[in-house]
């Protein structure tokens, strides 16, 4: 996520100040704040891995609220945003450049929470993500994951962006690699390759890794025409027994 968009704009000083005072929220899908009950009852001192969650938003807020935060992302620029906020606000945030499928830099049972906002759309295979998330969590640890409804990928992206029309075009599973170079540039710009994933891969993959699903939520896609008709995002909360 190297392009300048809303998910690259770091949290402002007022947001951090409110978080320090106990008034905090973070998003997992769209603009929906994650219910506070999804988090541990005591966030202060909790070890949190913000997985593929760079950009200076969720990590700094959770750090200001008292968590011990590590942010892993494969984008140096996104990690720069977290370091920018940490320096500006005097926060202690660890940043790690890496692939969400390979968390071998972390020992088993390192974290109380893995927080993974909508980012596995850029990951070609999910099973390693869930296996590694399970491994690095302590027993009783929480995985919060946000992801795209795969059905949004059946529509032509250019028609949605340019004419706000829903034109059914693609079979699932879909990847932007399926498009010609010119069409991919037109529809997705210079952004990373995107992959649709089945709900079996998303939810079934978490269960196969050993997680117990405790909560589920959905929200409209905040940025395209599908919001008028269907949820564009799903979110899950799962626990390592």
């Amino acid at each position: 996520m190297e392009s300048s968009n809303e998910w690259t704009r770091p949290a402002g000083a007022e947001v951090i100040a409110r978080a320090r005072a106990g008034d905090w929220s973070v998003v997992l899908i769209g603009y929906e704040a994650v219910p506070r009950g999804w988090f541990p009852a005591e966030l202060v001192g909790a070890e949190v891995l913000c997985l593929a969650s760079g950009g200076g938003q969720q990590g700094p807020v959770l750090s200001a609220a008292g968590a011990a935060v590590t942010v892993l992302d494969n984008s140096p620029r996104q990690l720069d945003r977290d370091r920018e906020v940490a320096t500006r606000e005097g926060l202690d945030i660890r940043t790690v450049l890496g692939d969400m499928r390979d968390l071998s830099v972390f020992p088993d049972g390192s974290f109380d929470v893995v927080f993974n906002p909508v980012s596995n759309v850029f990951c070609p295979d999910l099973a390693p993500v869930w296996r590694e998330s399970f491994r690095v969590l302590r027993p009783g640890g929480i995985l919060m994951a946000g992801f795209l409804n795969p059905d949004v990928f059946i529509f032509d992206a250019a028609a949605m962006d340019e004419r706000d029309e829903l034109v059914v075009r693609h079979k699932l599973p879909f990847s932007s690699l399926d498009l010609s170079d010119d069409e991919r540039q037109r529809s997705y710009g210079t952004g990373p390759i995107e992959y649709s994933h089945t709900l079996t891969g998303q939810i079934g993959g978490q269960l196969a890794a050993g997680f117990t699903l405790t909560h589920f939520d959905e929200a409209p896609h905040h940025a395209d025409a599908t919001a008028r008709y269907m949820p564009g995002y799903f979110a899950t909360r799962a626990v390592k027994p």
Side-chain angles (χ1 to χ4, degrees):
M1 295 185 66
E2 304 288 344
S3 59
S4 179
N5 60 46
E6 62 185 316
W7 307 117
T8 70
R9 292 195 289 268
E14 69 286 351
V15 172
I16 302 302
R18 289 198 302 270
R20 281 193 163 114
D23 179 17
W24 59 271
S25 66
V26 289
V27 297
L28 194 59
I29 50 175
Y31 298 143
E32 298 283 337
V34 180
R36 290 286 284 267
W38 284 31
F39 284 91
E42 181 55 72
L43 186 62
V44 175
E47 296 277 354
V48 176
L49 173 61
C50 289
L51 180 61
S53 179
Q57 299 182 0
Q58 296 96 348
V61 168
L62 294 172
S63 177
V69 173
T70 298
V71 181
L72 181 140
D73 203 285
N74 68 358
S75 166
R77 292 185 185 179
Q78 287 291 81
L79 293 176
D80 283 346
R81 302 289 80 77
D82 290 279
R83 288 190 285 266
E84 173 187 328
V85 181
T87 299
R88 188 190 74 210
E89 302 293 339
L91 299 171
D92 184 12
I93 298 175
R94 179 187 181 191
T95 58
V96 178
L97 183 67
D99 188 317
M100 65 193 301
R101 296 169 291 179
D102 179 7
L103 306 183
S104 56
V105 66
F106 307 122
D108 295 357
S110 296
F111 299 100
D112 301 297
V113 175
V114 172
F115 187 86
N116 176 220
V118 180
S119 58
N120 70 33
V121 64
F122 307 119
C123 184
D125 51 338
L126 298 184
V129 178
W130 307 135
R131 288 197 302 265
E132 282 288 86
S133 295
F134 188 88
R135 181 186 64 79
V136 301
L137 280 169
R138 300 177 177 122
I142 300 165
L143 168 68
M144 285 176 266
F147 47 91
L148 281 169
N149 179 347
D151 289 350
V152 301
F153 285 99
I154 70 173
F155 300 110
D156 181 89
M160 282 196 293
D161 293 342
E162 297 169 10
R163 303 189 301 277
D164 201 32
E165 293 180 0
L166 297 181
V167 177
V168 175
R169 179 177 174 199
H170 304 295
K171 291 176 60 177
L172 299 180
F174 168 81
S175 167
S176 55
L177 279 173
D178 299 337
L179 304 174
S180 67
D181 290 344
D182 288 345
E183 187 172 9
R184 186 165 60 249
Q185 173 67 33
R186 177 185 173 192
S187 299
Y188 293 89
T190 58
I193 301 301
E194 295 191 18
Y195 303 87
S196 75
H197 293 293
T198 65
L199 296 183
T200 299
Q202 298 281 13
I203 299 172
Q206 293 179 43
L207 297 174
F211 284 104
T212 298
L213 191 69
T214 63
H215 295 75
F216 181 85
D217 201 0
E218 60 186 26
H221 194 299
H222 63 286
D224 67 43
T226 63
R228 299 195 299 266
Y229 304 100
M230 61 193 290
Y233 296 113
F234 298 133
T236 53
R237 180 188 186 272
V239 173
K240 178 177 180 175

